[in-house]
Amino acid sequence: MRRTSETSPGIDRLLASGDLAGRRVGLVCNPASIDAAYRHTAQRLRRAPDLTLAALFGPQHGFRSDVQDNMVETPHARHPAWDIPIHSLYSDLREPTAAMFDGLDVLVIDLQDVGTRVYTYIYTMANCLRAAGRLGLPVVVCDRPNPIGGTQVEGPLLAPGHESFVGQFPIPLRHGLTIGELARLFNEHFGLGAELQVARLDGWERPAYHDATGLPWVMPSPNLPTLDSAVVYPGAVLFEGTNLSEGRGTTRPFELLGAPWIDGEALAGRITDAALPGVVARAAHFEPTFQKHAGRPCGGCQLHVTDREAFRPVLTAVAVLQAMRRADPARFAWREPPYEYERTKQPIDILAGSAALRRQLDADVEAAEIAAGWDADVAAFAAVRSRFLLY
């Protein structure tokens, strides 16, 4: 991809501002919290002469992002070299406590989002804003680019009654916002009540994908190893709510989709006939090393995005899911709870945002008709979203 901008992440502007001078800082981050020179935000704060890095906080997969599997909690720890606490926000607690904030003057959040409603990091941020608002601690969110661009919005809204740790607010699956814009939306529109500052990006153009920013790609989480994975993720994540493999345990998670009983060539033919925009579904065979169907040969397809602007990840995933379901209805099944701390609602329902998608697929409603039903949701969200755009 041709580079269209030289983007500077929000941490650059924050440190240049001097706003942290003389303050004890808590930092929410993980290994993707780096700048254009590969310097980690924690290291930069640690070396800054006019502030004190007093505590670290890690989201799902941990401060070091070394916990591979989903839904595996990470322990609280202490930094071995700096002798400061590392608080886990994906453990027995997912919202910071007053004790964790004790002695801090400000909380800085520097996390890389991936543009999808169900990514838990944005709810770790929301939980921090909620707790900070209650306790009177100022928060600075260091903005980062939406790696799949900031113009396209797609998918159903989260419906009331389907809130979970993979969805707290009624936004579409693909929201088209930066994490700083999401922070403003959550805090102001949904009333989290924090004293919030967003350290803005410099040089980001709204349509730009991550590979056009000049910033390095570091895996934001272990199962999004590449930008290609992130591009398909807003739709392919729905496969987590089924007994079909979403490619975890392969080197192409969320691009490879399938199951042991799927005929990849027949599936690819059906997807080709559907003429989905901006994507080729190539017949593929793979054997996951962990998670669903570990050690079993699977048939299915790999999604190859040929035109990012035309590609619709949620429509594509629904169409592929529908084709796999139709291929062998007796073997297909919806995944049962628990899933991401939810023990009663079906995983597909909290991922999709309601029971509507599951019921439509069970009734064999065509994927294009299902997608057309999202138009009103997207239009309603657009009116709200426009108030919080920074770029």
Side-chain angles (χ1 to χ4, degrees):
M1 172 64 68
R2 181 176 62 87
R3 186 176 297 176
T4 60
S5 62
E6 294 288 344
T7 302
S8 174
I11 185 60
D12 289 352
R13 181 179 285 212
L14 176 60
L15 286 175
S17 72
D19 288 350
L20 299 181
R23 304 171 88 177
R24 291 178 57 82
V25 178
L27 173 64
V28 185
C29 64
N30 75 355
S33 308
I34 63 166
D35 63 14
Y38 296 87
R39 296 175 298 179
H40 194 274
T41 293
Q43 293 280 3
R44 294 187 69 183
L45 293 177
R46 175 75 178 173
R47 292 168 181 165
D50 56 351
L51 62 90
T52 301
L53 179 61
L56 297 164
F57 298 79
Q60 185 178 17
H61 305 292
F63 164 71
R64 294 185 177 86
S65 203
D66 54 350
V67 177
Q68 167 66 247
D69 212 348
N70 251 17
M71 292 171 280
V72 175
E73 295 181 340
T74 52
H76 306 288
R78 199 159 188 89
H79 196 285
W82 301 344
D83 195 29
I84 59 175
I86 303 173
H87 302 295
S88 172
L89 298 179
Y90 194 79
S91 63
D92 53 323
L93 301 168
R94 287 167 298 286
E95 182 174 305
T97 64
M100 292 178 183
F101 285 167
D102 187 42
L104 300 182
D105 299 312
V106 62
L107 182 70
V108 173
I109 300 174
D110 190 11
L111 293 171
Q112 178 63 64
D113 181 37
V114 294
T116 304
R117 183 187 68 225
V118 300
Y119 208 52
T120 62
Y121 295 179
I122 62 176
Y123 303 112
T124 293
M125 176 180 71
N127 288 349
C128 288
L129 290 169
R130 188 179 289 110
R134 189 170 59 245
L135 297 168
L137 182 70
V139 178
V140 181
V141 172
C142 296
D143 214 356
R144 290 187 170 270
N146 185 324
I148 59 172
T151 59
Q152 297 184 53
V153 178
E154 187 194 4
L157 292 182
L158 179 77
H162 289 82
E163 295 84 0
S164 71
F165 196 52
V166 292
Q168 290 187 11
F169 307 110
I171 63 176
L173 266 171
R174 183 176 185 177
H175 52 68
L177 296 167
T178 69
I179 194 167
E181 292 169 338
L182 279 171
R184 296 180 69 226
L185 172 71
F186 291 173
N187 196 55
E188 296 174 36
H189 187 67
F190 297 114
L192 299 185
E195 180 187 330
L196 171 66
Q197 172 189 346
V198 175
R200 294 176 53 164
L201 296 162
D202 286 313
W204 186 61
E205 300 172 11
R206 190 153 210 103
Y209 281 62
H210 195 278
D211 53 5
T213 66
L215 292 171
W217 176 268
V218 172
M219 295 185 297
S221 54
N223 288 292
L224 288 176
T226 67
L227 178 57
D228 290 339
S229 303
V231 169
V232 299
Y233 181 73
V237 69
L238 294 171
F239 278 69
E240 291 190 9
T242 75
N243 66 343
L244 304 168
S245 172
E246 65 273 14
R248 289 179 185 272
T250 76
T251 57
R252 287 287 177 177
F254 300 106
E255 296 172 68
L256 287 169
L257 306 168
W261 58 87
I262 296 294
D263 180 331
E265 285 72 19
L267 173 73
R270 287 191 289 272
I271 299 303
T272 299
D273 291 343
L276 296 167
V279 66
V280 172
R282 179 185 60 83
H285 298 85
F286 58 94
E287 186 175 299
T289 58
F290 58 85
Q291 284 261 350
K292 297 174 190 169
H293 312 303
R296 299 177 65 192
C298 294
C301 65
Q302 181 174 350
L303 300 179
H304 297 267
V305 177
T306 57
D307 183 341
R308 288 175 177 173
E309 299 309 309
F311 177 56
R312 296 182 62 190
V314 188
L315 166 64
T316 298
V318 170
V320 175
L321 176 54
Q322 183 170 68
M324 290 188 184
R325 190 184 188 286
R326 287 172 172 172
D328 198 332
R331 293 192 184 185
F332 173 82
W334 299 111
R335 180 176 179 170
E336 294 296 324
Y339 176 80
E340 289 291 359
Y341 297 102
E342 173 55 55
R343 299 191 175 277
T344 56
K345 301 183 189 76
Q346 288 197 251
I348 188 62
D349 294 355
I350 61 173
L351 286 165
S354 76
L357 177 62
R358 172 173 54 84
R359 290 169 179 164
Q360 288 168 320
L361 288 170
D362 284 345
D364 206 30
V365 178
E366 292 293 337
E369 182 179 343
I370 293 172
W374 307 330
D375 291 347
D377 279 356
V378 170
F381 178 67
V384 174
R385 174 179 176 272
S386 64
R387 296 163 37 206
F388 299 98
L389 301 182
L390 293 171
Y391 314 95

